[in-house]
Amino acid sequence: MGCQGGGVDELAAVAHVLRRTTFGPFPGVAEGLVGRGAAGAVEWALGAKALRPVTPEFDEDVEAGANGPVARWLGLMRDPGAGVHEKLVWFWHGHFTSSHDKVETWELMWRQHVVLRRHAMGNFRELAHAVTVDGAMLQWLDGAGSVAAAPNENHGRELMELFTIGRGSYSQQDVRAAATAMAGWTVEDGEVGFVREDGNGQAVQLLGRGVVNVHDVVDVLCDRPECARFVAAKLHYYLVGLPASEQRVDELAAVFTQARWEIRPLVEAILRDGSFATAVRTRARYPVEWVTAAFAVCGIDDPELAFGTMTALGQSPFYPPNVAGWPGARWLDPGAAVARAMLAVDAPVIREIAAAKDPGAAVFARAGIYDPTPATETAARDMAFALRRDAEQAATGLLALVLTAPEFTLA
């Protein structure tokens, strides 16, 4: 069951890059990059243009309508031309979290999505400023309606603990100061406003510096060395799949600081390092990654079904479970294997696979698996032989096997 087109090692290396920098690899994309190698695939992913979504229809009674926010986003995730930018939109959604479970309208959630999309590969400081006074975030973290005389501390605490400098880098007094300076914002009828009388009028001390308003707070936090380290370490794990060593965090934090909080140089430093190339299948694919890739392999185009499948596996776009985002779970519950395999039943691509000269090779290629383990390759060969009298049944079995194989469920 050999690979089709291009050297096995090159295709496997390119597929690794695409698993980490896109929601694929989608059928045919790795083959289209043959000759560029892994380094060229990185450059392709970095150079891919940011995709622009069409404004969705907002229906509060429908979570995943054909033209709603979820469908619009999933459509961009599965676009073969999507590169690192699209992957970073998802990363920031799990970092600067807000959920429609609490946020009043889809319009507010979509506006925040546009903010994350605008700054996904831009400047972290600008992103932090924009999202901190975003309407969805103000509602999600109880910043809306907070008054300086008796501020709600939730927004300020999470801004420090989860978004910028991390736990243990501040005191309760700092939380109180941040909350006081961040007060005065409102969200009424979907519009963000500021009530001067409810805001702060004099400097308070935050981490040894005076702050008066929310933007002072964001600047103080971004200036802290802990911020560069916190963001660099989290982004490294997302892209590499392994925790960075203290030395590596120091190196990446230095890149980030010297770039004045520009995100792209940090991403480039991570992707071009040798540690990225060798960290193959070091973490589970997140449900949103697995579903998007699996639907492409199966030839399924159904955003509502995709959303339902992601949700069943533990992730729902626009619905993170809490302010910390999705937990660092393994995502590989054995009980979900049957549900994953069921996608193969009546998949639109079955006839194409069945008609292939080598159905096993065709399935592996569609799934972007160019380096199957001997165990997986043997299982596929045995299945193809056992079901050889019914080509479509054999194709279905091969597809189900590949969708649940470690080579596909790991990133």
Side-chain angles (χ1 to χ4, degrees):
M1 293 187 182
C3 293
Q4 301 173 347
V8 172
D9 290 343
E10 181 188 8
L11 282 167
V14 169
H16 166 63
V17 173
L18 297 177
R19 278 194 302 274
R20 294 295 175 77
T21 61
T22 75
F23 290 91
F26 302 121
V29 175
E31 288 81 358
L33 294 171
V34 166
R36 301 191 192 186
V42 168
E43 294 306 314
W44 175 85
L46 285 166
K49 292 183 179 180
L51 303 179
R52 295 185 177 182
V54 176
T55 301
E57 296 174 3
F58 302 117
D59 186 342
E60 300 305 324
D61 296 323
V62 180
E63 286 185 315
N67 297 309
V70 173
R72 293 294 191 214
W73 194 2
L74 296 185
L76 296 176
M77 289 180 185
R78 69 173 183 263
D79 190 315
V84 178
H85 180 273
E86 197 61 40
K87 201 65 175 283
L88 265 288
V89 175
W90 177 255
F91 171 78
W92 293 121
H93 177 50
H95 182 84
F96 289 110
T97 58
S98 294
S99 173
H100 190 43
D101 277 333
K102 184 175 179 180
V103 175
E104 291 178 348
T105 67
W106 274 118
E107 286 95 332
L108 283 171
M109 288 301 300
W110 188 256
R111 286 180 205 168
Q112 184 181 86
H113 177 74
V114 171
V115 168
L116 300 180
R117 183 169 291 281
R118 182 182 305 125
H119 297 283
M121 286 281 279
N123 187 277
F124 177 81
R125 185 190 294 268
E126 293 176 7
L127 170 57
H129 275 290
V131 79
T132 301
V133 294
D134 167 77
M137 185 64 72
L138 288 167
Q139 285 192 345
W140 173 238
L141 292 182
D142 307 311
S146 178
V147 297
N152 187 304
E153 297 179 355
N154 194 34
H155 195 185
R157 179 181 290 105
E158 306 304 2
L159 176 62
M160 289 189 279
E161 178 179 333
L162 297 174
F163 301 164
T164 54
I165 60 177
R167 184 176 298 178
S169 301
Y170 56 89
S171 68
Q172 176 56 31
Q173 182 178 345
D174 293 316
V175 172
R176 180 76 178 184
T180 300
M182 294 168 69
W185 293 86
T186 63
V187 182
E188 297 181 0
D189 298 324
E191 298 300 322
V192 176
F194 182 76
V195 180
R196 186 176 300 275
E197 293 77 11
D198 293 337
N200 181 52
Q202 58 184 1
V204 292
Q205 291 296 303
L206 171 64
L207 295 166
R209 287 173 54 180
V211 296
V212 177
N213 58 46
V214 63
H215 295 297
D216 294 338
V217 172
V218 172
D219 281 334
V220 166
L221 297 178
C222 287
D223 287 341
R224 297 286 297 186
E226 297 94 335
C227 181
R229 290 179 55 83
F230 182 75
V231 175
K234 191 169 181 179
L235 191 53
H236 178 279
Y237 182 78
Y238 179 70
L239 293 171
V240 178
L242 293 170
S245 66
E246 288 299 308
Q247 179 181 348
R248 184 61 178 148
V249 173
D250 286 340
E251 294 169 354
L252 293 173
V255 169
F256 198 28
T257 304
Q258 290 167 9
R260 300 186 66 80
W261 298 275
E262 288 293 323
I263 297 164
R264 184 184 178 93
L266 175 59
V267 173
E268 291 178 348
I270 294 170
L271 296 181
R272 289 173 175 160
D273 188 75
S275 62
F276 172 79
T278 58
V280 179
R281 298 189 176 97
T282 51
R283 67 161 172 82
R285 265 179 164 163
Y286 305 128
V288 69
E289 296 174 326
W290 184 89
V291 170
T292 305
F295 272 48
V297 172
C298 293
I300 301 172
D301 182 7
D302 186 337
E304 188 169 357
L305 178 61
F307 179 75
T309 307
M310 292 173 186
T311 300
L313 293 176
Q315 278 189 323
S316 307
F318 295 110
Y319 289 93
N322 54 58
V323 71
W326 288 274
R330 297 180 181 179
W331 303 115
L332 295 179
D333 179 1
V338 174
R340 293 174 186 260
M342 287 300 293
L343 282 183
V345 178
D346 297 325
V349 77
I350 291 299
R351 289 187 178 180
E352 177 184 328
I353 295 171
K357 181 178 181 181
D358 185 341
V363 172
F364 280 127
R366 283 192 67 86
I369 299 173
Y370 307 99
D371 52 350
T373 63
T376 299
E377 197 163 22
T378 298
R381 185 178 294 111
D382 290 347
M383 178 173 289
F385 180 79
L387 300 175
R388 64 189 183 281
R389 290 184 176 85
D390 188 326
E392 291 194 8
Q393 186 177 8
T396 301
L398 287 167
L399 183 57
L401 184 150
V402 165
L403 293 178
T404 56
E407 295 91 330
F408 193 77
T409 56
L410 299 177

